[in-house]
Structures are given as C-alpha cells and as structure tokens.
Amino acid sequence: MTLFTNGFVTLQNPKDFNPIANKGDFVELSLINPNIPMTIKFSTAPTLAGLPDIKNAMEDQLNSNPNINVETSDFIAINDDIYYMLISSINTDKNEIKRNEFMFVKDNNLYSFEFVYPYADAELDDFYLNIIRSLKIKKPKYIVSGDGYKINEE
C-alpha cells in the first residue's frame, strides 16, 4: 500500500494507479489506472460554504447542462463524517462517462474526491469508500477569513 501525503493530509493510493500531472489550482493528487480506465482526483479548497450550499450550487450547475444527468445527489455518512455525494453521467457520442464525487467540509476546507470512468459499475462502491476512509487530516491546509485565505504554516 502506498500513501500520499502533503503535510496536511494522508491518503491511501490504490493499487495499479499511477500519478499524473495535477490539473487545477486546488488539486492535490491525480491518479490514473490505464487498465480500467479510471481517473481519481483529490482536491482541497478553501471555503466558507457548508455542504448544503455546495449541494445546491453543484445541482444548479450540472442541471443547467443538458449533456449531464444527475443520478444521485445526497448526504451520506462515511466514518463519523457527513459527505455530500454526487453521482452523474455525461453522454458523449461514443459512450457514457460516470463521475462520482464525494465532498467533505472541515475547518473551512473542502476535501473533494472525484472518480471518473467510462461505464457503470456498482461493484466499485467499496473501492471508493476504502480510499475515502483512508483520508487522515493532520491540519487544515487553508486558513480562511472574510477577506480571503492563506496557506496554514503553523
């Protein structure tokens, strides 16, 4: 088992996944398994919003795109924490792409997991949950105030 750590969090890297260049301002880790194919993205972002506000914003954004089908949008318990889970599919000319997102807010930091793959597979539920359950937060990465945020250097 390989662990990802950045001084703020640790996270289990699943077997047979390779790191790829991060894409996005707040992306901490991007992985790909070319055999499945599946990508995993883990992000941390500063936020003053709570999960209900994030849920409403995500639903509004995705429902405005006719190519995206929101299949599930709900709160779930993982470990002792409440996560927002969003499962959607994107229809392309060639296939349907599934996207499962799990979001958690703690200490004004939004922790987000995104799993993207080109088919539906309920067997992957334990796979997602095992990765999410492996998240250990050492300290918040961002310190957020009304006028912005900064990296936590404590």
Side-chain angles (χ1 to χ4, degrees), residues 77-126:
I78 300 176
N79 295 339
D80 293 328
D81 301 310
I82 299 298
Y83 278 73
Y84 167 53
M85 176 180 66
L86 176 67
I87 299 173
S88 60
S89 58
I90 302 166
N91 293 315
T92 67
D93 293 337
K94 296 180 182 178
N95 58 9
E96 178 181 64
I97 298 170
K98 300 287 283 186
R99 186 166 118 183
N100 294 12
E101 295 179 80
F102 299 84
M103 296 166 228
F104 169 65
V105 174
K106 182 176 181 179
D107 297 325
N108 296 328
N109 282 244
L110 171 63
Y111 301 92
S112 175
F113 295 86
E114 178 184 279
F115 302 90
V116 178
Y117 52 100
Y119 50 84
D121 190 349
E123 299 295 317
L124 292 171
D125 290 350
D126 284 337

mmCIF file of all heavy atoms in Angstrom, residues 77-126:
data_model
loop_
_atom_site.group_PDB
_atom_site.id
_atom_site.type_symbol
_atom_site.label_atom_id
_atom_site.label_comp_id
_atom_site.label_asym_id
_atom_site.label_seq_id
_atom_site.Cartn_x
_atom_site.Cartn_y
_atom_site.Cartn_z
ATOM 1 N N ALA A 77 -23.116 9.265 5.332
ATOM 2 C CA ALA A 77 -22.139 9.165 6.416
ATOM 3 C C ALA A 77 -21.014 8.238 5.967
ATOM 4 O O ALA A 77 -21.258 7.141 5.464
ATOM 5 C CB ALA A 77 -22.799 8.628 7.671
ATOM 6 N N ILE A 78 -19.791 8.716 6.122
ATOM 7 C CA ILE A 78 -18.605 7.906 5.880
ATOM 8 C C ILE A 78 -17.726 8.093 7.107
ATOM 9 O O ILE A 78 -17.387 9.226 7.456
ATOM 10 C CB ILE A 78 -17.850 8.328 4.604
ATOM 11 C CG1 ILE A 78 -18.754 8.196 3.376
ATOM 12 C CG2 ILE A 78 -16.577 7.494 4.437
ATOM 13 C CD1 ILE A 78 -18.123 8.688 2.082
ATOM 14 N N ASN A 79 -17.349 6.986 7.739
ATOM 15 C CA ASN A 79 -16.725 7.034 9.060
ATOM 16 C C ASN A 79 -17.680 7.784 9.975
ATOM 17 O O ASN A 79 -18.852 7.487 10.016
ATOM 18 C CB ASN A 79 -15.334 7.644 9.002
ATOM 19 C CG ASN A 79 -14.349 6.797 8.208
ATOM 20 O OD1 ASN A 79 -14.544 5.605 8.016
ATOM 21 N ND2 ASN A 79 -13.290 7.421 7.741
ATOM 22 N N ASP A 80 -17.213 8.799 10.659
ATOM 23 C CA ASP A 80 -18.087 9.582 11.541
ATOM 24 C C ASP A 80 -18.417 10.940 10.934
ATOM 25 O O ASP A 80 -18.858 11.842 11.648
ATOM 26 C CB ASP A 80 -17.414 9.781 12.905
ATOM 27 C CG ASP A 80 -17.264 8.474 13.668
ATOM 28 O OD1 ASP A 80 -18.136 7.596 13.496
ATOM 29 O OD2 ASP A 80 -16.284 8.328 14.418
ATOM 30 N N ASP A 81 -18.204 11.102 9.656
ATOM 31 C CA ASP A 81 -18.380 12.392 8.992
ATOM 32 C C ASP A 81 -19.521 12.334 7.982
ATOM 33 O O ASP A 81 -19.838 11.282 7.447
ATOM 34 C CB ASP A 81 -17.079 12.792 8.276
ATOM 35 C CG ASP A 81 -15.907 12.892 9.243
ATOM 36 O OD1 ASP A 81 -16.053 13.551 10.281
ATOM 37 O OD2 ASP A 81 -14.853 12.296 8.953
ATOM 38 N N ILE A 82 -20.090 13.513 7.701
ATOM 39 C CA ILE A 82 -21.125 13.627 6.690
ATOM 40 C C ILE A 82 -20.481 14.157 5.405
ATOM 41 O O ILE A 82 -19.793 15.188 5.430
ATOM 42 C CB ILE A 82 -22.260 14.571 7.135
ATOM 43 C CG1 ILE A 82 -22.916 14.037 8.407
ATOM 44 C CG2 ILE A 82 -23.288 14.752 6.019
ATOM 45 C CD1 ILE A 82 -23.578 12.677 8.257
ATOM 46 N N TYR A 83 -20.698 13.454 4.321
ATOM 47 C CA TYR A 83 -20.193 13.819 2.999
ATOM 48 C C TYR A 83 -21.367 14.143 2.090
ATOM 49 O O TYR A 83 -22.471 13.612 2.275
ATOM 50 C CB TYR A 83 -19.424 12.660 2.369
ATOM 51 C CG TYR A 83 -17.993 12.521 2.821
ATOM 52 C CD1 TYR A 83 -17.685 12.050 4.090
ATOM 53 C CD2 TYR A 83 -16.947 12.849 1.975
ATOM 54 C CE1 TYR A 83 -16.368 11.909 4.501
ATOM 55 C CE2 TYR A 83 -15.626 12.704 2.374
ATOM 56 C CZ TYR A 83 -15.350 12.240 3.647
ATOM 57 O OH TYR A 83 -14.047 12.105 4.036
ATOM 58 N N TYR A 84 -21.118 14.981 1.116
ATOM 59 C CA TYR A 84 -22.065 15.196 0.034
ATOM 60 C C TYR A 84 -21.610 14.305 -1.114
ATOM 61 O O TYR A 84 -20.448 14.350 -1.520
ATOM 62 C CB TYR A 84 -22.097 16.670 -0.382
ATOM 63 C CG TYR A 84 -22.817 16.915 -1.685
ATOM 64 C CD1 TYR A 84 -24.116 16.440 -1.891
ATOM 65 C CD2 TYR A 84 -22.207 17.615 -2.706
ATOM 66 C CE1 TYR A 84 -24.771 16.661 -3.084
ATOM 67 C CE2 TYR A 84 -22.861 17.849 -3.907
ATOM 68 C CZ TYR A 84 -24.139 17.360 -4.090
ATOM 69 O OH TYR A 84 -24.797 17.570 -5.277
ATOM 70 N N MET A 85 -22.519 13.466 -1.630
ATOM 71 C CA MET A 85 -22.207 12.555 -2.725
ATOM 72 C C MET A 85 -23.001 12.977 -3.956
ATOM 73 O O MET A 85 -24.216 13.175 -3.885
ATOM 74 C CB MET A 85 -22.589 11.126 -2.346
ATOM 75 C CG MET A 85 -22.381 10.122 -3.459
ATOM 76 S SD MET A 85 -22.850 8.428 -2.998
ATOM 77 C CE MET A 85 -24.613 8.601 -2.790
ATOM 78 N N LEU A 86 -22.304 13.117 -5.061
ATOM 79 C CA LEU A 86 -22.928 13.473 -6.328
ATOM 80 C C LEU A 86 -22.485 12.465 -7.377
ATOM 81 O O LEU A 86 -21.293 12.338 -7.654
ATOM 82 C CB LEU A 86 -22.509 14.887 -6.746
ATOM 83 C CG LEU A 86 -23.009 15.368 -8.092
ATOM 84 C CD1 LEU A 86 -24.521 15.533 -8.064
ATOM 85 C CD2 LEU A 86 -22.355 16.686 -8.458
ATOM 86 N N ILE A 87 -23.449 11.749 -7.936
ATOM 87 C CA ILE A 87 -23.159 10.788 -8.993
ATOM 88 C C ILE A 87 -23.835 11.301 -10.250
ATOM 89 O O ILE A 87 -25.038 11.570 -10.255
ATOM 90 C CB ILE A 87 -23.657 9.382 -8.637
ATOM 91 C CG1 ILE A 87 -22.955 8.900 -7.364
ATOM 92 C CG2 ILE A 87 -23.416 8.417 -9.793
ATOM 93 C CD1 ILE A 87 -23.482 7.599 -6.828
ATOM 94 N N SER A 88 -23.042 11.458 -11.293
ATOM 95 C CA SER A 88 -23.579 11.976 -12.546
ATOM 96 C C SER A 88 -23.000 11.193 -13.711
ATOM 97 O O SER A 88 -22.023 10.465 -13.566
ATOM 98 C CB SER A 88 -23.266 13.469 -12.694
ATOM 99 O OG SER A 88 -21.868 13.689 -12.690
ATOM 100 N N SER A 89 -23.643 11.353 -14.860
ATOM 101 C CA SER A 89 -23.129 10.743 -16.081
ATOM 102 C C SER A 89 -23.142 11.798 -17.182
ATOM 103 O O SER A 89 -23.992 12.686 -17.198
ATOM 104 C CB SER A 89 -23.958 9.520 -16.486
ATOM 105 O OG SER A 89 -25.305 9.888 -16.676
ATOM 106 N N ILE A 90 -22.163 11.670 -18.045
ATOM 107 C CA ILE A 90 -22.027 12.571 -19.178
ATOM 108 C C ILE A 90 -22.145 11.719 -20.435
ATOM 109 O O ILE A 90 -21.407 10.742 -20.602
ATOM 110 C CB ILE A 90 -20.671 13.298 -19.151
ATOM 111 C CG1 ILE A 90 -20.512 14.068 -17.846
ATOM 112 C CG2 ILE A 90 -20.525 14.217 -20.357
ATOM 113 C CD1 ILE A 90 -19.105 14.536 -17.567
ATOM 114 N N ASN A 91 -23.074 12.078 -21.283
ATOM 115 C CA ASN A 91 -23.272 11.325 -22.519
ATOM 116 C C ASN A 91 -22.468 11.958 -23.640
ATOM 117 O O ASN A 91 -22.595 13.142 -23.916
ATOM 118 C CB ASN A 91 -24.759 11.292 -22.885
ATOM 119 C CG ASN A 91 -25.559 10.501 -21.882
ATOM 120 O OD1 ASN A 91 -25.155 9.417 -21.491
ATOM 121 N ND2 ASN A 91 -26.675 11.048 -21.449
ATOM 122 N N THR A 92 -21.619 11.137 -24.250
ATOM 123 C CA THR A 92 -20.844 11.585 -25.404
ATOM 124 C C THR A 92 -21.316 10.785 -26.610
ATOM 125 O O THR A 92 -22.124 9.873 -26.485
ATOM 126 C CB THR A 92 -19.332 11.365 -25.186
ATOM 127 O OG1 THR A 92 -19.075 9.961 -25.151
ATOM 128 C CG2 THR A 92 -18.853 12.015 -23.895
ATOM 129 N N ASP A 93 -20.787 11.116 -27.754
ATOM 130 C CA ASP A 93 -21.147 10.379 -28.966
ATOM 131 C C ASP A 93 -20.739 8.911 -28.878
ATOM 132 O O ASP A 93 -21.392 8.040 -29.444
ATOM 133 C CB ASP A 93 -20.498 11.012 -30.190
ATOM 134 C CG ASP A 93 -21.060 12.389 -30.496
ATOM 135 O OD1 ASP A 93 -22.198 12.663 -30.058
ATOM 136 O OD2 ASP A 93 -20.366 13.181 -31.160
ATOM 137 N N LYS A 94 -19.645 8.628 -28.168
ATOM 138 C CA LYS A 94 -19.107 7.278 -28.130
ATOM 139 C C LYS A 94 -19.576 6.455 -26.931
ATOM 140 O O LYS A 94 -19.750 5.260 -27.033
ATOM 141 C CB LYS A 94 -17.581 7.337 -28.132
ATOM 142 C CG LYS A 94 -17.028 7.935 -29.399
ATOM 143 C CD LYS A 94 -15.534 7.977 -29.364
ATOM 144 C CE LYS A 94 -15.019 8.627 -30.643
ATOM 145 N NZ LYS A 94 -13.585 8.741 -30.655
ATOM 146 N N ASN A 95 -19.719 7.092 -25.771
ATOM 147 C CA ASN A 95 -20.102 6.325 -24.586
ATOM 148 C C ASN A 95 -20.640 7.236 -23.480
ATOM 149 O O ASN A 95 -20.754 8.440 -23.662
ATOM 150 C CB ASN A 95 -18.921 5.497 -24.065
ATOM 151 C CG ASN A 95 -17.720 6.345 -23.724
ATOM 152 O OD1 ASN A 95 -17.775 7.558 -23.703
ATOM 153 N ND2 ASN A 95 -16.619 5.683 -23.443
ATOM 154 N N GLU A 96 -20.948 6.606 -22.373
ATOM 155 C CA GLU A 96 -21.402 7.333 -21.204
ATOM 156 C C GLU A 96 -20.266 7.326 -20.189
ATOM 157 O O GLU A 96 -19.700 6.280 -19.894
ATOM 158 C CB GLU A 96 -22.638 6.656 -20.603
ATOM 159 C CG GLU A 96 -23.150 7.327 -19.353
ATOM 160 C CD GLU A 96 -24.348 6.610 -18.776
ATOM 161 O OE1 GLU A 96 -24.195 5.443 -18.366
ATOM 162 O OE2 GLU A 96 -25.423 7.211 -18.741
ATOM 163 N N ILE A 97 -19.939 8.483 -19.665
ATOM 164 C CA ILE A 97 -18.872 8.600 -18.678
ATOM 165 C C ILE A 97 -19.513 8.846 -17.322
ATOM 166 O O ILE A 97 -20.344 9.741 -17.173
ATOM 167 C CB ILE A 97 -17.912 9.752 -19.047
ATOM 168 C CG1 ILE A 97 -17.256 9.461 -20.394
ATOM 169 C CG2 ILE A 97 -16.870 9.952 -17.948
ATOM 170 C CD1 ILE A 97 -16.485 10.618 -20.964
ATOM 171 N N LYS A 98 -19.130 8.049 -16.342
ATOM 172 C CA LYS A 98 -19.651 8.185 -14.985
ATOM 173 C C LYS A 98 -18.698 9.031 -14.151
ATOM 174 O O LYS A 98 -17.486 8.936 -14.308
ATOM 175 C CB LYS A 98 -19.795 6.817 -14.326
ATOM 176 C CG LYS A 98 -20.725 5.871 -15.050
ATOM 177 C CD LYS A 98 -22.156 6.253 -14.899
ATOM 178 C CE LYS A 98 -22.614 5.834 -13.532
ATOM 179 N NZ LYS A 98 -24.034 6.031 -13.314
ATOM 180 N N ARG A 99 -19.284 9.835 -13.274
ATOM 181 C CA ARG A 99 -18.470 10.663 -12.379
ATOM 182 C C ARG A 99 -19.091 10.603 -10.992
ATOM 183 O O ARG A 99 -20.237 10.973 -10.812
ATOM 184 C CB ARG A 99 -18.426 12.092 -12.880
ATOM 185 C CG ARG A 99 -17.499 12.974 -12.096
ATOM 186 C CD ARG A 99 -17.253 14.234 -12.854
ATOM 187 N NE ARG A 99 -17.745 15.356 -12.082
ATOM 188 C CZ ARG A 99 -17.721 16.589 -12.490
ATOM 189 N NH1 ARG A 99 -17.288 16.881 -13.697
ATOM 190 N NH2 ARG A 99 -18.162 17.546 -11.735
ATOM 191 N N ASN A 100 -18.326 10.102 -10.046
ATOM 192 C CA ASN A 100 -18.762 10.036 -8.655
ATOM 193 C C ASN A 100 -17.909 11.009 -7.852
ATOM 194 O O ASN A 100 -16.680 10.908 -7.877
ATOM 195 C CB ASN A 100 -18.599 8.623 -8.087
ATOM 196 C CG ASN A 100 -19.519 7.634 -8.751
ATOM 197 O OD1 ASN A 100 -20.132 7.915 -9.774
ATOM 198 N ND2 ASN A 100 -19.616 6.458 -8.177
ATOM 199 N N GLU A 101 -18.573 11.908 -7.151
ATOM 200 C CA GLU A 101 -17.862 12.895 -6.342
ATOM 201 C C GLU A 101 -18.318 12.781 -4.898
ATOM 202 O O GLU A 101 -19.501 12.574 -4.625
ATOM 203 C CB GLU A 101 -18.141 14.306 -6.846
ATOM 204 C CG GLU A 101 -17.613 14.555 -8.241
ATOM 205 C CD GLU A 101 -17.931 15.940 -8.727
ATOM 206 O OE1 GLU A 101 -17.210 16.881 -8.342
ATOM 207 O OE2 GLU A 101 -18.921 16.088 -9.457
ATOM 208 N N PHE A 102 -17.368 12.928 -4.010
ATOM 209 C CA PHE A 102 -17.629 12.905 -2.576
ATOM 210 C C PHE A 102 -16.945 14.125 -1.979
ATOM 211 O O PHE A 102 -15.744 14.316 -2.169
ATOM 212 C CB PHE A 102 -17.068 11.626 -1.947
ATOM 213 C CG PHE A 102 -17.681 10.369 -2.497
ATOM 214 C CD1 PHE A 102 -17.200 9.792 -3.668
ATOM 215 C CD2 PHE A 102 -18.747 9.770 -1.850
ATOM 216 C CE1 PHE A 102 -17.764 8.636 -4.170
ATOM 217 C CE2 PHE A 102 -19.319 8.607 -2.352
ATOM 218 C CZ PHE A 102 -18.830 8.039 -3.519
ATOM 219 N N MET A 103 -17.705 14.956 -1.237
ATOM 220 C CA MET A 103 -17.178 16.203 -0.702
ATOM 221 C C MET A 103 -17.427 16.287 0.800
ATOM 222 O O MET A 103 -18.490 15.895 1.279
ATOM 223 C CB MET A 103 -17.839 17.389 -1.396
ATOM 224 C CG MET A 103 -17.513 17.450 -2.875
ATOM 225 S SD MET A 103 -18.597 18.587 -3.732
ATOM 226 C CE MET A 103 -19.073 17.572 -5.103
ATOM 227 N N PHE A 104 -16.441 16.817 1.499
ATOM 228 C CA PHE A 104 -16.476 16.920 2.953
ATOM 229 C C PHE A 104 -15.891 18.270 3.341
ATOM 230 O O PHE A 104 -14.866 18.684 2.784
ATOM 231 C CB PHE A 104 -15.658 15.758 3.551
ATOM 232 C CG PHE A 104 -15.390 15.858 5.014
ATOM 233 C CD1 PHE A 104 -16.430 15.797 5.933
ATOM 234 C CD2 PHE A 104 -14.102 15.985 5.491
ATOM 235 C CE1 PHE A 104 -16.180 15.869 7.294
ATOM 236 C CE2 PHE A 104 -13.837 16.047 6.846
ATOM 237 C CZ PHE A 104 -14.884 15.989 7.749
ATOM 238 N N VAL A 105 -16.530 18.961 4.288
ATOM 239 C CA VAL A 105 -16.025 20.255 4.753
ATOM 240 C C VAL A 105 -15.642 20.140 6.220
ATOM 241 O O VAL A 105 -16.423 19.644 7.042
ATOM 242 C CB VAL A 105 -17.075 21.376 4.575
ATOM 243 C CG1 VAL A 105 -16.577 22.681 5.196
ATOM 244 C CG2 VAL A 105 -17.397 21.587 3.104
ATOM 245 N N LYS A 106 -14.424 20.591 6.525
ATOM 246 C CA LYS A 106 -13.955 20.646 7.907
ATOM 247 C C LYS A 106 -13.003 21.829 8.038
ATOM 248 O O LYS A 106 -12.105 21.995 7.215
ATOM 249 C CB LYS A 106 -13.247 19.349 8.294
ATOM 250 C CG LYS A 106 -12.778 19.328 9.729
ATOM 251 C CD LYS A 106 -12.169 18.002 10.102
ATOM 252 C CE LYS A 106 -11.751 18.044 11.572
ATOM 253 N NZ LYS A 106 -11.179 16.776 11.990
ATOM 254 N N ASP A 107 -13.206 22.632 9.055
ATOM 255 C CA ASP A 107 -12.340 23.787 9.332
ATOM 256 C C ASP A 107 -12.176 24.688 8.110
ATOM 257 O O ASP A 107 -11.065 25.121 7.776
ATOM 258 C CB ASP A 107 -10.958 23.328 9.831
ATOM 259 C CG ASP A 107 -11.026 22.577 11.145
ATOM 260 O OD1 ASP A 107 -11.875 22.932 11.991
ATOM 261 O OD2 ASP A 107 -10.235 21.622 11.326
ATOM 262 N N ASN A 108 -13.282 24.966 7.419
ATOM 263 C CA ASN A 108 -13.302 25.831 6.231
ATOM 264 C C ASN A 108 -12.430 25.313 5.093
ATOM 265 O O ASN A 108 -11.942 26.085 4.266
ATOM 266 C CB ASN A 108 -12.906 27.268 6.576
ATOM 267 C CG ASN A 108 -13.895 27.915 7.508
ATOM 268 O OD1 ASN A 108 -15.090 27.623 7.476
ATOM 269 N ND2 ASN A 108 -13.422 28.800 8.355
ATOM 270 N N ASN A 109 -12.238 24.009 5.042
ATOM 271 C CA ASN A 109 -11.536 23.364 3.942
ATOM 272 C C ASN A 109 -12.476 22.341 3.321
ATOM 273 O O ASN A 109 -13.086 21.536 4.030
ATOM 274 C CB ASN A 109 -10.271 22.659 4.434
ATOM 275 C CG ASN A 109 -9.131 23.619 4.679
ATOM 276 O OD1 ASN A 109 -8.105 23.553 4.004
ATOM 277 N ND2 ASN A 109 -9.282 24.526 5.633
ATOM 278 N N LEU A 110 -12.601 22.388 1.995
ATOM 279 C CA LEU A 110 -13.419 21.444 1.247
ATOM 280 C C LEU A 110 -12.498 20.352 0.708
ATOM 281 O O LEU A 110 -11.572 20.634 -0.054
ATOM 282 C CB LEU A 110 -14.131 22.140 0.087
ATOM 283 C CG LEU A 110 -14.860 21.244 -0.916
ATOM 284 C CD1 LEU A 110 -15.998 20.486 -0.243
ATOM 285 C CD2 LEU A 110 -15.369 22.062 -2.091
ATOM 286 N N TYR A 111 -12.743 19.116 1.124
ATOM 287 C CA TYR A 111 -11.995 17.954 0.656
ATOM 288 C C TYR A 111 -12.881 17.240 -0.354
ATOM 289 O O TYR A 111 -14.019 16.884 -0.048
ATOM 290 C CB TYR A 111 -11.638 17.033 1.832
ATOM 291 C CG TYR A 111 -10.819 17.744 2.881
ATOM 292 C CD1 TYR A 111 -11.425 18.367 3.964
ATOM 293 C CD2 TYR A 111 -9.441 17.820 2.766
ATOM 294 C CE1 TYR A 111 -10.677 19.046 4.924
ATOM 295 C CE2 TYR A 111 -8.671 18.491 3.715
ATOM 296 C CZ TYR A 111 -9.305 19.103 4.797
ATOM 297 O OH TYR A 111 -8.562 19.772 5.731
ATOM 298 N N SER A 112 -12.361 17.036 -1.546
ATOM 299 C CA SER A 112 -13.182 16.517 -2.636
ATOM 300 C C SER A 112 -12.476 15.351 -3.326
ATOM 301 O O SER A 112 -11.300 15.441 -3.682
ATOM 302 C CB SER A 112 -13.434 17.641 -3.643
ATOM 303 O OG SER A 112 -14.126 17.175 -4.754
ATOM 304 N N PHE A 113 -13.234 14.270 -3.513
ATOM 305 C CA PHE A 113 -12.779 13.101 -4.257
ATOM 306 C C PHE A 113 -13.606 13.007 -5.520
ATOM 307 O O PHE A 113 -14.832 13.114 -5.472
ATOM 308 C CB PHE A 113 -12.995 11.817 -3.455
ATOM 309 C CG PHE A 113 -12.193 11.716 -2.204
ATOM 310 C CD1 PHE A 113 -12.650 12.260 -1.010
ATOM 311 C CD2 PHE A 113 -10.974 11.059 -2.207
ATOM 312 C CE1 PHE A 113 -11.912 12.155 0.150
ATOM 313 C CE2 PHE A 113 -10.227 10.947 -1.054
ATOM 314 C CZ PHE A 113 -10.690 11.500 0.134
ATOM 315 N N GLU A 114 -12.955 12.793 -6.645
ATOM 316 C CA GLU A 114 -13.660 12.627 -7.923
ATOM 317 C C GLU A 114 -13.149 11.363 -8.600
ATOM 318 O O GLU A 114 -11.945 11.204 -8.806
ATOM 319 C CB GLU A 114 -13.410 13.830 -8.818
ATOM 320 C CG GLU A 114 -14.062 13.731 -10.172
ATOM 321 C CD GLU A 114 -13.691 14.905 -11.056
ATOM 322 O OE1 GLU A 114 -14.307 15.964 -10.906
ATOM 323 O OE2 GLU A 114 -12.759 14.737 -11.882
ATOM 324 N N PHE A 115 -14.086 10.472 -8.938
ATOM 325 C CA PHE A 115 -13.773 9.225 -9.620
ATOM 326 C C PHE A 115 -14.479 9.268 -10.970
ATOM 327 O O PHE A 115 -15.703 9.420 -11.023
ATOM 328 C CB PHE A 115 -14.289 8.024 -8.818
ATOM 329 C CG PHE A 115 -13.740 7.951 -7.415
ATOM 330 C CD1 PHE A 115 -14.400 8.583 -6.367
ATOM 331 C CD2 PHE A 115 -12.579 7.247 -7.146
ATOM 332 C CE1 PHE A 115 -13.913 8.520 -5.064
ATOM 333 C CE2 PHE A 115 -12.081 7.181 -5.852
ATOM 334 C CZ PHE A 115 -12.752 7.822 -4.807
ATOM 335 N N VAL A 116 -13.726 9.127 -12.064
ATOM 336 C CA VAL A 116 -14.305 9.205 -13.412
ATOM 337 C C VAL A 116 -13.922 7.935 -14.166
ATOM 338 O O VAL A 116 -12.758 7.532 -14.179
ATOM 339 C CB VAL A 116 -13.792 10.452 -14.176
ATOM 340 C CG1 VAL A 116 -14.357 10.495 -15.586
ATOM 341 C CG2 VAL A 116 -14.137 11.725 -13.416
ATOM 342 N N TYR A 117 -14.939 7.323 -14.818
ATOM 343 C CA TYR A 117 -14.713 6.090 -15.559
ATOM 344 C C TYR A 117 -15.787 5.959 -16.636
ATOM 345 O O TYR A 117 -16.851 6.574 -16.533
ATOM 346 C CB TYR A 117 -14.722 4.873 -14.621
ATOM 347 C CG TYR A 117 -15.943 4.808 -13.736
ATOM 348 C CD1 TYR A 117 -17.005 3.985 -14.051
ATOM 349 C CD2 TYR A 117 -16.034 5.590 -12.596
ATOM 350 C CE1 TYR A 117 -18.129 3.930 -13.254
ATOM 351 C CE2 TYR A 117 -17.161 5.548 -11.785
ATOM 352 C CZ TYR A 117 -18.204 4.718 -12.124
ATOM 353 O OH TYR A 117 -19.315 4.682 -11.333
ATOM 354 N N PRO A 118 -15.537 5.166 -17.680
ATOM 355 C CA PRO A 118 -16.443 5.141 -18.834
ATOM 356 C C PRO A 118 -17.546 4.084 -18.791
ATOM 357 O O PRO A 118 -18.000 3.631 -19.818
ATOM 358 C CB PRO A 118 -15.492 4.864 -19.997
ATOM 359 C CG PRO A 118 -14.445 4.013 -19.393
ATOM 360 C CD PRO A 118 -14.271 4.525 -17.984
ATOM 361 N N TYR A 119 -17.988 3.678 -17.622
ATOM 362 C CA TYR A 119 -19.059 2.689 -17.549
ATOM 363 C C TYR A 119 -19.640 2.694 -16.141
ATOM 364 O O TYR A 119 -19.040 3.212 -15.210
ATOM 365 C CB TYR A 119 -18.541 1.282 -17.881
ATOM 366 C CG TYR A 119 -17.302 0.918 -17.105
ATOM 367 C CD1 TYR A 119 -17.382 0.400 -15.813
ATOM 368 C CD2 TYR A 119 -16.046 1.136 -17.653
ATOM 369 C CE1 TYR A 119 -16.240 0.098 -15.101
ATOM 370 C CE2 TYR A 119 -14.901 0.832 -16.942
ATOM 371 C CZ TYR A 119 -14.996 0.317 -15.663
ATOM 372 O OH TYR A 119 -13.866 0.027 -14.960
ATOM 373 N N ALA A 120 -20.792 2.109 -15.975
ATOM 374 C CA ALA A 120 -21.432 2.000 -14.665
ATOM 375 C C ALA A 120 -21.007 0.703 -14.002
ATOM 376 O O ALA A 120 -20.993 -0.349 -14.637
ATOM 377 C CB ALA A 120 -22.949 2.022 -14.823
ATOM 378 N N ASP A 121 -20.651 0.777 -12.724
ATOM 379 C CA ASP A 121 -20.223 -0.416 -12.011
ATOM 380 C C ASP A 121 -20.460 -0.235 -10.517
ATOM 381 O O ASP A 121 -19.674 0.404 -9.828
ATOM 382 C CB ASP A 121 -18.755 -0.706 -12.289
ATOM 383 C CG ASP A 121 -18.311 -2.060 -11.761
ATOM 384 O OD1 ASP A 121 -19.071 -2.686 -10.997
ATOM 385 O OD2 ASP A 121 -17.212 -2.487 -12.115
ATOM 386 N N ALA A 122 -21.531 -0.795 -10.013
ATOM 387 C CA ALA A 122 -21.845 -0.687 -8.589
ATOM 388 C C ALA A 122 -20.818 -1.420 -7.731
ATOM 389 O O ALA A 122 -20.695 -1.150 -6.539
ATOM 390 C CB ALA A 122 -23.236 -1.239 -8.316
ATOM 391 N N GLU A 123 -20.066 -2.335 -8.332
ATOM 392 C CA GLU A 123 -19.053 -3.072 -7.590
ATOM 393 C C GLU A 123 -17.940 -2.160 -7.090
ATOM 394 O O GLU A 123 -17.165 -2.556 -6.232
ATOM 395 C CB GLU A 123 -18.442 -4.166 -8.475
ATOM 396 C CG GLU A 123 -19.431 -5.200 -8.954
ATOM 397 C CD GLU A 123 -19.999 -6.022 -7.804
ATOM 398 O OE1 GLU A 123 -19.233 -6.423 -6.919
ATOM 399 O OE2 GLU A 123 -21.221 -6.248 -7.800
ATOM 400 N N LEU A 124 -17.854 -0.967 -7.617
ATOM 401 C CA LEU A 124 -16.796 -0.054 -7.219
ATOM 402 C C LEU A 124 -17.104 0.691 -5.919
ATOM 403 O O LEU A 124 -16.251 1.394 -5.410
ATOM 404 C CB LEU A 124 -16.529 0.968 -8.334
ATOM 405 C CG LEU A 124 -15.906 0.390 -9.599
ATOM 406 C CD1 LEU A 124 -15.889 1.425 -10.709
ATOM 407 C CD2 LEU A 124 -14.511 -0.122 -9.325
ATOM 408 N N ASP A 125 -18.287 0.542 -5.359
ATOM 409 C CA ASP A 125 -18.652 1.281 -4.147
ATOM 410 C C ASP A 125 -17.633 1.091 -3.031
ATOM 411 O O ASP A 125 -17.192 2.061 -2.412
ATOM 412 C CB ASP A 125 -20.043 0.887 -3.660
ATOM 413 C CG ASP A 125 -21.137 1.397 -4.581
ATOM 414 O OD1 ASP A 125 -20.841 2.213 -5.485
ATOM 415 O OD2 ASP A 125 -22.287 0.974 -4.395
ATOM 416 N N ASP A 126 -17.243 -0.142 -2.735
ATOM 417 C CA ASP A 126 -16.253 -0.386 -1.685
ATOM 418 C C ASP A 126 -14.900 0.210 -2.061
ATOM 419 O O ASP A 126 -14.169 0.683 -1.195
ATOM 420 C CB ASP A 126 -16.101 -1.884 -1.407
ATOM 421 C CG ASP A 126 -17.254 -2.434 -0.591
ATOM 422 O OD1 ASP A 126 -17.922 -1.655 0.121
ATOM 423 O OD2 ASP A 126 -17.496 -3.651 -0.673
#
